[in-house]
Amino acid sequence: MGVRKLGEIAIVKPCEVKDCPREYRSSGYCSPHAHRFRRYGDPLASAPRKSSAERFWEKVDADGDCWIWTSSLNPAGYGTFSDKAKQSAPNKAHRWAWEELIGPIPPGLQLDHLCRVRRCVNPDHLEPVTNIENQRRGLRGKLYQEIRQCHRGHPYDETNTYMHRGAKHCRKCVNQRGREYYQRQKVST
């Protein structure tokens, strides 16, 4: 290594790079400079930096109609991408693609996947919509619309159904719960 002992005196050889305070490790250089020398042939060289766009598009498979994100996904199944140039937290990949190719997403809107493929980053398959509209179009919205009766079997029709805070409610069930509550209150007093 860079330390040689001559009797009781330790001699520390400095790194050969000018103004580097670290001690010699191998081939005349400290650890970081030796690594750069082995990898790039120059102890002062650094890794070539790719632009955010280059890093993004190398993670996209654009062979089909949908441009599929092939890198990391969040728990909901959407692609994630960190734009190191902006030093931002991981963003959803489809949002980054939209902002890069189309422009900013209008305030108060979110991007809806018209193709229903969460890993798709093709801006032609995205549309800015409100949160309510996105939920209505989504899987939960479709399932919710297909429910024809309550859990007790009462039909969801015009006379038996009312909406409150965006949810369907069965009038017969609400009335029955009210009667049961009244009976419990009557017995407890």
Side-chain angles (χ1 to χ4, degrees):
M1 292 302 213
V3 178
R4 278 196 247 150
K5 288 194 176 182
L6 292 173
E8 293 295 316
I9 303 170
I11 300 172
V12 177
K13 287 180 70 180
C15 176
E16 290 183 11
V17 173
K18 185 179 178 186
D19 296 330
C20 180
R22 295 182 203 94
E23 61 185 60
Y24 165 96
R25 291 284 181 218
S26 65
S27 60
Y29 302 112
C30 63
S31 225
H33 289 121
H35 171 75
R36 291 179 189 149
F37 180 75
R38 284 190 305 273
R39 186 159 189 179
Y40 307 112
D42 181 3
L44 298 175
S46 61
R49 303 250 186 236
K50 292 182 182 177
S51 70
S52 295
E54 288 175 315
R55 288 182 36 255
F56 181 87
W57 293 112
E58 69 187 13
K59 296 170 172 63
V60 175
D61 178 11
D63 289 340
D65 194 29
C66 284
W67 299 351
I68 302 299
W69 181 254
T70 60
S71 190
S72 60
L73 303 175
N74 69 11
Y78 293 98
T80 59
F81 179 70
S82 293
D83 190 346
K84 300 210 180 209
K86 294 180 183 174
Q87 295 182 346
S88 62
N91 196 3
K92 290 182 180 161
H94 64 282
R95 291 178 61 90
W96 192 92
W98 178 277
E99 290 173 353
E100 184 72 11
L101 299 174
I102 306 294
I105 300 166
L109 299 181
Q110 51 190 234
L111 296 176
D112 179 29
H113 284 88
L114 300 174
C115 59
R116 296 283 157 272
V117 178
R118 291 180 177 187
R119 293 172 45 194
C120 179
V121 296
N122 185 345
D124 293 338
H125 294 189
L126 303 171
E127 180 183 9
V129 296
T130 62
N131 182 35
I132 297 294
E133 179 63 17
N134 198 11
Q135 288 179 2
R136 187 186 67 73
R137 290 179 180 183
L139 181 60
R140 287 184 186 153
K142 298 284 187 230
L143 292 174
Y144 188 67
Q145 290 173 354
E146 293 174 5
I147 297 173
R148 303 281 183 232
Q149 61 188 19
C150 74
H151 67 280
R152 291 194 176 122
H154 303 130
Y156 278 136
D157 55 23
E158 287 184 30
T159 59
N160 188 43
T161 307
Y162 72 95
M163 299 292 287
H164 179 67
R165 294 186 180 171
K168 290 180 182 179
H169 294 278
C170 171
R171 291 183 192 277
K172 290 181 181 177
C173 290
V174 169
N175 291 339
Q176 184 176 348
R177 281 194 303 275
R179 284 191 297 276
E180 291 169 357
Y181 176 78
Y182 177 75
Q183 292 300 322
R184 284 192 308 271
Q185 294 303 316
K186 191 175 170 183
V187 169
S188 66
T189 56

